[in-house]
């Protein structure tokens, strides 16, 4: 009998129930969309901030300041220590390997071009790596120097132009080089005839330099498989107190703190892990990038949390408002039920069941609509889909049920207090 | 005249007598309006507030002496260049002078700068110890501190002479610095060690007064500026300064400006889309609540019709009621929205925002329109019904 009454109410009052379900759907979709975006916005913004380039630099341990000093004096660069090129892949074997977005090795030398001494940097552009773990990836400076403007020609493609070179805009003007020209680089060790693939504008000192494939520079500088530094771009969590404490000295942490620190993608723990796999190296955060990323991500996340709270409040109020209104409306029916002898408990469970069934239907539909909204926002803003976080489902369900109950219970109690005769009489 | 008084009396009476129901409707409208004005305020404020956060990345413009300028970047020329950029846009300005001095006969690069300006243009500098606060104190890069194996509190004797710099590779030829008449020797105290992860770690930083004392007066080599402006504005300043031929070549730090534009655009469009979605849903929520409230009064409408009221007069009365609610809700909402935006701003960005007066009427008009439309649909439908049927209850 109870089920039949519930079913009857749901089917006969279709219009009204659809409206309640619709409002709950809207509220649930809003909550779902906002929560999904809120949980994912950190990762997404972090990806965007990769435009600022590497946030970790790996250098050989004993690399003294000598290089910088002698460079100023116009002497030949004397770099006392190097890293091995075959150690680069090890960066992708650390605990936080999925946080490593991109990396590239660097080696600099001075070469002679038509009687002018220029600095030539060797690096990877889109170097294809096959890791021992079976993973395949392309790494190099195309991703790490996203702000470079290619004024003439295009980015160097290692597979297409193994003998290609890219020239900075200032240097290109001085030497009168354009894309498509061939230039000869000469050092004491070797001489290379290279094709200028592109002219870049970086808006910094690099504009006076050239950049080409790593092995060409290694031959010019006669260094074998050595490199002087590696730039790494990693997705990191903003620093907190623990990270600051660890950055001073990882050994000062207690065992449990150490675990937490090691297993969190702080820039300091990623640096530490890189040093573990490349023993002769010092990995240090590039503070200009690492610190600013932390600050911006923290602010964005906080902003999204507050907007989410406001929308959750808004949808909660909207739902409970409508539920209250629709329960109040049924005063006649409730009065009649009471008049023919229904107990308070029976009446309230009847009304509550009806409303909750409607809420569940609306909530489920709302979850999927909200997920759709989140995807639309993700696709149009970040060009990638928003990850579906399972935690959102319980949050939204609890929210919807609580809000529905909060909206209906006071109204039901108010109706129950009324005398059936008064209610039926109409006032 | 009498008719209008009656109209208002009917509206206010119905609003006051059905207090609890009207309160619900008003609440819904006010919440909708709060979200409208709050999110719009945040949307307009995000670029400014986030722009300030992006200044953490450091200088986005540099001034250098132009090729034809023989004097170099003197403070007068720099002053003129700075007047081309509005004061309120400049977050920080730090002129640099680089000189090579020797410490224990080893050449070292010393940078003289306005240290207060640097703390603004390069907020990411991590100083272990203290920033220099008086003359004779220096900040030393981490790498060079390791090479010279010195720490906070140590003193360094720096020597500057034209000759030593010209022949740095043969420092042994000047065995005793005291014999060199041109050489200037000054002792400095290290107050802090600088950790940036960049090239700065191999330099020593001191105040402009100190470097003048050590190496004599000279023009600046470069001036770093941190300007809080969009990339179009920045390009505008650069073109303006270049065209005025002040002896300055301004350049944008592409890495910072370009990336900032990319990220900021994304962030703003994120807030924009979120605002649109939230608004759309809230408007529908307000509309359904209003519909529920009006549908409830079908009986009243039927009674009026039975008493001979025209459809028009009923629609007008209900619309008047709805719009009044909309206006009051909008007014409350626009101020609550501002309070919300202010709370967000204070909590997230530690700064306050100013009320945009234009948002108040916009919010009110928007809520009036939404409630109006929301009322119109159920009222219309009800007026089409036969009064006898409505009054009978089905």
């Amino acid at each position: 009998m109870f089920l039949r009454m519930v079913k009857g109410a749901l089917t006969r009052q279709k219009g009204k129930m659809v409206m309640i379900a619709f409002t709950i759907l809207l509220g649930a979709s809003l909550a779902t969309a906002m929560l999904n975006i809120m949980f994912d916005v950190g990762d997404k913004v972090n990806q965007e901030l990769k435009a600022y380039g590497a946030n970790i630099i790996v250098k050989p341990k004993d690399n003294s300041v000598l290089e910088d000093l002698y460079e100023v004096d116009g002497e030949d660069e004397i770099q006392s220590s190097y890293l091995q090129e075959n150690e680069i892949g090890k960066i992708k074997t650390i605990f936080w390997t999925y946080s490593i977005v991109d990396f590239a090795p660097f080696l600099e030398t001075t070469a002679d071009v038509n009687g002018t001494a220029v600095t030539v940097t060797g690096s990877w552009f889109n170097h294809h790596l096959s890791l021992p773990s079976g993973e395949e990836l392309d790494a190099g400076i195309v991703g790490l120097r996203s702000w470079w403007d290619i004024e003439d020609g295009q980015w160097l493609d290692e597979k297409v132009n193994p003998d290609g070179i890219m020239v900075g805009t200032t240097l290109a003007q001085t030497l009168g080089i354009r894309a498509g020209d061939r230039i000869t680089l000469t050092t004491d060790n070797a001489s290379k005839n290279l094709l200028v693939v592109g002219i870049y504008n970086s808006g910094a000192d690099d504009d006076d330099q050239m950049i080409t494939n790593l092995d060409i520079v290694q031959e010019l500088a006669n260094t074998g498989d050595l490199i002087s530094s590696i730039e790494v771009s990693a997705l990191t969590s903003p620093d907190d107190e623990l990270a600051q404490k660890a950055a001073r000295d990882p050994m000062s942490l207690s065992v449990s703190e150490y675990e937490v620190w090691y297993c969190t993608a702080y820039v300091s723990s990623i640096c530490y892990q890189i040093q573990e796999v490349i023993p002769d190296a010092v990995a240090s955060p590039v503070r200009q990038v690492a610190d600013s990323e932390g600050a911006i991500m923290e602010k964005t996340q906080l902003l999204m949390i507050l907007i989410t709270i406001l929308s959750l409040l808004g949808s909660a109020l909207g739902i409970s408002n409508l539920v209250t209104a629709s329960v109040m409306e049924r005063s006649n029916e409730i009065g009649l039920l009471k008049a023919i002898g229904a107990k308070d408990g029976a009446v309230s469970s009847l009304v509550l069941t009806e409303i909750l069934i409607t809420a569940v239907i609306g909530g489920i539909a709302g979850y999927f609509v909200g997920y759709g909204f989140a995807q639309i926002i993700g696709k149009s803003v970040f060009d990638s889909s928003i990850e579906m976080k399972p935690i959102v489902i319980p949050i939204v369900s609890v929210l919807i049920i609580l809000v529905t109950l909060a909206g209906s219970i006071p109204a039901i109690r108010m109706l129950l207090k009324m005398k059936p005769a008064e209610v039926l009489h109409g006032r | 005249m009498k008719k209008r008084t009656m109209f208002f009396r009917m509206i206010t009476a119905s609003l006051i007598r059905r207090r609890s129901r009207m309160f619900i409707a008003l609440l819904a409208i006010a919440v909708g309006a709060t979200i409208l004005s709050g999110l719009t305020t945040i949307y307009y404020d995000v670029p400014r507030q986030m722009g300030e956060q992006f200044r953490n990345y450091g200088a986005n413009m540099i001034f250098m002496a132009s090729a034809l300028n023989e004097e170099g970047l003197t403070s007068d020329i720099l002053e003129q260049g700075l007047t081309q950029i509005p004061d309120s846009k400049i977050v920080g300005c730090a002129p640099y002078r680089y000189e090579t001095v020797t410490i224990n006969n080893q050449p070292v690069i010393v940078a003289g700068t306005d240290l207060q300006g640097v703390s603004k243009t390069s907020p990411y500098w991590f100083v272990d110890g203290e920033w220099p606060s008086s003359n004779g104190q220096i900040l030393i890069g981490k790498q060079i501190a390791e090479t010279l194996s010195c720490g906070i509190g140590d003193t360094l004797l720096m020597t500057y002479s034209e000759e030593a710099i010209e022949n740095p590779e043969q420092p042994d030829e000047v065995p005793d610095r005291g014999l060199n008449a041109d050489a200037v020797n000054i002792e400095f105290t290290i107050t802090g060690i600088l950790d940036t992860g960049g090239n700065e770690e191999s330099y020593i930083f001191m105040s402009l007064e100190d470097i003048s004392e050590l190496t004599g007066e000279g023009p600046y080599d470069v001036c770093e500026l941190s300007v809080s402006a969009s990339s179009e504005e920045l390009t505008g300043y650069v073109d303006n300064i270049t065209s005025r031929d002040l002896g300055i070549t301004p350049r944008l730090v592409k890495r910072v400006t370009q990336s900032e534009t990319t990220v900021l655009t994304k962030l703003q469009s994120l807030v924009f889309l979120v605002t649109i979605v939230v608004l759309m849903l809230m408007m529908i929520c307000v509309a359904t609540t209003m519909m529920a409230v009006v549908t409830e009064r079908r009986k009243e409408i039927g009674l009026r019709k039975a008493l001979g009221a025209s459809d028009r007069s009923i629609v007008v009365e209900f619309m008047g009621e709805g719009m009044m609610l909309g206006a009051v809700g909008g007014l409350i909402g626009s101020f609550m929205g501002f309070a919300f935006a202010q709370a967000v701003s204070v909590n997230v960005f530690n700064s306050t925002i100013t009320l945009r007066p234009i948002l108040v009427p916009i919010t009110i008009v928007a809520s009036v329109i939404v409630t109006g439309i929301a009322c119109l649909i159920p009222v219309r439908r009800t007026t089409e019904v036969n009064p006898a049927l409505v009054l009978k209850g089905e």
Side-chain angles (χ1 to χ4, degrees):
Chain A
M1 181 62 195
F2 179 74
L3 284 180
R4 209 156 98 207
M5 281 172 74
V6 171
K7 207 176 135 203
L10 287 181
T11 44
R12 241 172 293 128
Q13 298 194 317
K14 224 180 279 164
K16 208 163 289 164
M17 284 305 170
V18 164
M19 198 149 101
I20 297 176
F22 184 62
T23 311
I24 291 171
L25 181 149
L26 291 176
S29 66
L30 183 58
T32 314
M34 290 306 297
L35 286 168
N36 268 319
I37 293 170
M38 186 190 91
F39 285 123
D40 217 30
V41 79
D43 286 354
K44 291 279 181 274
V45 171
N46 208 333
Q47 287 279 10
E48 293 301 324
L49 290 174
K50 291 294 133 238
Y52 279 95
N55 50 4
I56 294 172
I57 184 151
V58 186
K59 284 182 172 169
K61 206 173 245 166
D62 310 319
N63 190 10
S64 62
V65 289
L66 279 174
E67 187 197 356
D68 270 321
L69 301 181
Y70 280 95
E71 207 175 25
V72 171
D73 304 329
E75 275 278 301
D76 282 344
E77 289 164 47
I78 304 167
Q79 190 171 357
S80 48
S81 53
Y82 291 94
L83 296 167
Q84 293 284 339
E85 190 185 349
N86 56 20
E87 283 185 307
I88 304 170
K90 289 184 183 168
I91 289 176
K92 269 303 234 182
T93 61
I94 65 165
F95 181 80
W96 276 107
T97 175
Y98 291 109
S99 289
I100 308 282
V101 179
D102 214 337
F103 50 91
F106 290 90
L107 179 68
E108 288 186 1
T109 190
T110 316
D112 190 88
V113 179
N114 300 336
T116 318
V118 293
T119 307
V120 185
T121 308
S123 186
W124 289 353
F125 288 83
N126 51 346
H127 194 80
H128 190 74
L129 272 183
S130 303
L131 299 176
S133 60
E135 205 188 331
E136 308 240 329
L137 77 153
D138 284 337
I141 58 163
V142 178
L144 288 175
R145 298 280 186 272
S146 57
W147 64 92
W148 278 15
D149 246 358
I150 307 300
E151 294 187 335
D152 193 10
Q154 66 216 4
W155 272 104
L156 196 157
D157 188 327
E158 288 185 12
K159 286 172 216 97
V160 182
N161 304 104
D163 65 338
I165 190 164
M166 292 179 72
V167 183
T169 170
T170 324
L171 184 63
Q173 273 166 18
T174 326
L175 296 177
I177 302 175
R178 280 192 296 158
D181 293 356
R182 290 197 86 91
I183 51 171
T184 308
L185 273 70
T186 318
T187 61
D188 298 343
N189 310 303
S191 180
K192 287 265 173 194
N193 185 264
L194 302 169
L195 173 74
V196 179
V197 182
I199 308 289
Y200 63 81
N201 179 357
S202 70
D205 301 346
D206 321 16
D207 286 349
D208 287 332
Q209 303 178 357
M210 305 185 168
I211 188 155
T212 181
N213 281 318
L214 182 61
D215 41 351
I216 293 173
V217 175
Q218 282 171 342
E219 252 180 81
L220 287 172
N222 194 21
T223 54
D225 279 343
L226 300 177
I227 51 169
S228 56
S229 65
I230 311 172
E231 286 188 13
V232 182
S233 178
L235 299 176
T236 55
S237 324
D239 273 9
D240 54 16
E241 248 170 66
L242 178 65
Q244 279 161 10
K245 195 176 163 193
R248 280 195 290 277
D249 181 15
M251 294 308 143
S252 67
L253 301 176
S254 70
V255 178
S256 60
E257 277 177 331
Y258 179 83
E259 297 266 297
V260 172
W261 172 73
Y262 194 91
C263 299
T264 312
Y266 296 125
V267 68
S268 55
S269 53
I270 293 179
C271 283
Y272 183 80
Q273 289 163 13
I274 293 175
Q275 288 177 32
E276 282 180 336
V277 292
I278 310 179
D280 295 334
V282 180
S284 46
V286 180
R287 287 200 180 271
Q288 181 178 10
V289 178
D291 281 12
S292 321
E293 269 177 14
I296 289 169
M297 276 192 24
E298 208 182 324
K299 303 286 170 188
T300 317
Q301 264 168 336
L302 202 53
L303 179 70
M304 284 310 289
I305 289 175
L306 287 176
I307 294 182
T308 308
I309 291 177
L310 178 72
S311 6
L312 290 185
L313 274 180
S315 55
L317 267 171
I319 293 175
S320 68
N321 257 344
L322 191 76
V323 170
T324 312
S326 75
V327 172
M328 300 283 277
E329 220 178 309
R330 299 174 62 186
S331 53
N332 268 346
E333 188 192 329
I334 292 172
L336 185 61
L337 279 172
K338 279 191 78 173
I340 58 175
K343 291 211 178 66
D344 282 5
V347 174
S348 10
S349 59
L350 177 72
V351 177
L352 275 182
T353 320
E354 280 171 32
I355 299 268
L356 280 180
I357 289 175
T358 324
V360 168
I361 296 171
I364 291 173
Y367 176 78
F368 290 103
V369 173
Y371 185 64
F373 274 126
Q375 295 307 344
I376 292 174
I377 291 177
K379 281 268 188 278
S380 46
V381 179
F382 300 111
D383 292 327
S384 65
S385 57
I386 301 272
E387 206 187 318
M388 204 165 187
K389 292 275 193 304
I391 180 81
V392 174
I393 300 175
I395 297 181
V396 174
S397 344
V398 168
L399 180 85
I400 295 295
I401 290 174
L402 277 185
V403 163
T404 319
L405 289 181
S408 45
I409 289 177
I412 294 174
R413 289 188 56 167
M414 209 155 90
L415 289 182
L416 288 178
K417 269 190 211 136
M418 288 183 185
K419 293 207 177 88
E422 280 176 14
V423 177
L424 287 178
H425 183 247
R427 193 74 357 193
Chain B
M1 189 63 212
K2 245 185 187 167
K3 212 173 166 189
R4 193 169 298 163
T5 330
M6 182 61 190
F7 178 68
F8 277 113
R9 202 188 279 173
M10 274 167 76
I11 291 178
T12 41
S14 111
L15 289 180
I16 290 166
R17 241 179 288 128
R18 303 158 43 84
R19 225 175 289 148
S20 69
R21 206 60 55 84
M22 283 305 143
F23 179 71
I24 287 176
L26 189 63
L27 200 60
I29 298 166
V31 169
T34 305
I35 289 175
L36 171 70
S37 75
L39 285 187
T40 322
T41 312
I42 292 174
Y43 169 69
Y44 278 113
D45 223 42
V46 155
R48 183 175 70 81
Q49 306 268 28
M50 272 310 208
E52 266 161 42
Q53 296 304 317
F54 277 93
R55 299 277 39 82
N56 275 325
Y57 277 106
N60 50 2
M61 192 189 274
I62 50 173
F63 282 177
M64 289 179 300
S66 56
L68 300 171
N69 179 0
E70 280 165 16
E71 288 170 77
L73 193 63
T74 60
S75 33
D76 289 345
I77 292 180
L78 179 64
E79 205 66 42
Q80 282 181 14
L82 287 177
T83 53
Q84 303 302 319
I85 303 173
D87 267 352
S88 58
K89 298 272 184 187
I90 300 179
V91 178
C93 162
Y96 286 90
R97 261 187 77 188
Y98 294 99
E99 298 289 349
T100 312
V101 302
T102 53
I103 296 173
N104 302 333
N105 289 335
Q106 285 210 41
V108 171
I109 304 170
V110 184
T113 182
D114 170 9
L115 289 161
Q116 273 191 327
V118 170
S119 61
K120 295 208 179 70
T121 53
S122 310
Y124 56 90
W125 279 20
F126 179 77
V127 175
D128 188 14
E130 309 238 321
W131 285 78
S133 50
S134 64
N135 287 353
Q137 296 183 328
I138 53 169
L139 206 57
I140 181 167
K142 195 170 138 196
Q143 279 190 19
I144 200 164
E146 275 166 25
T147 322
L148 299 171
S149 59
C150 53
I152 300 165
D154 292 355
T155 54
L156 287 177
L157 183 71
M158 291 189 208
T159 309
Y160 177 82
S161 74
E162 304 270 337
E163 212 173 309
I165 299 311
E166 275 159 22
N167 308 302
E169 61 268 40
Q170 301 121 6
D172 299 338
E173 286 179 12
V174 196
D176 188 353
R177 292 183 300 266
L179 290 179
N180 190 334
D182 296 335
V184 185
N185 295 302
I186 301 179
E187 212 170 44
F188 290 99
T189 314
I190 300 172
T191 58
I193 294 181
L194 177 67
D195 178 357
T196 66
N199 288 335
E200 297 91 344
E201 288 189 2
S202 48
Y203 302 147
I204 292 176
F205 293 87
M206 57 172 66
S207 70
L208 289 165
E209 291 86 24
D210 282 345
I211 202 164
S212 304
E213 209 176 311
L214 186 62
T215 67
E217 299 282 342
Y220 305 124
D221 289 309
V222 66
C223 177
E224 288 191 354
L225 289 170
S226 182
V227 184
S228 175
S230 67
S231 58
E232 292 91 50
E233 285 175 276
L234 287 173
T235 325
Y237 298 143
V238 167
D239 292 346
N240 187 13
I241 295 170
T242 316
S243 66
R244 276 171 196 259
D245 200 17
L246 297 166
I248 294 175
T249 307
R251 283 182 81 178
L252 292 180
V253 183
K254 226 181 183 137
R255 170 186 186 174
V256 175
T257 49
Q258 196 127 325
S259 311
E260 177 175 329
T261 317
T262 323
V263 179
L264 212 51
T265 321
K266 296 260 156 149
L267 273 182
Q268 203 179 5
S269 59
L270 172 72
V271 176
F272 177 72
L273 275 182
V274 163
T275 308
I276 294 285
V277 170
V278 173
L279 274 186
M280 232 167 58
L281 297 184
M282 284 320 294
M283 299 247 169
I284 303 178
C285 262
V286 170
T288 46
T289 311
M290 278 316 287
M291 277 188 198
V293 169
V294 175
T295 314
E296 240 185 320
R297 297 173 64 187
R298 289 171 76 195
K299 245 187 202 165
E300 193 186 324
I301 297 175
L303 184 61
R304 288 244 185 94
K305 276 191 83 172
L307 289 174
S310 69
D311 282 3
R312 215 185 105 79
S313 72
I314 292 173
V315 171
V316 167
E317 198 215 316
F318 271 77
M319 293 288 288
E321 230 179 276
M323 284 177 167
M324 201 159 176
L325 273 178
V328 177
L331 189 69
I332 298 173
S334 57
F335 287 104
M336 285 195 357
F338 175 69
F340 170 76
Q342 187 72 271
V344 167
S345 184
V346 168
N347 281 311
V348 180
F349 302 108
N350 294 325
S351 67
T352 54
I353 47 174
T354 43
L355 178 69
R356 283 168 191 274
I358 185 75
L359 268 180
V360 178
I362 290 180
T363 314
I364 294 176
V365 169
S367 3
V368 167
I369 292 174
V370 171
T371 30
I373 293 171
C375 293
L376 191 61
I377 300 165
V379 171
R380 258 274 153 81
R381 213 171 15 166
T382 317
T383 49
E384 281 159 15
V385 177
N386 189 334
L389 281 183
V390 176
L391 284 178
K392 193 166 165 248
E394 205 36 58

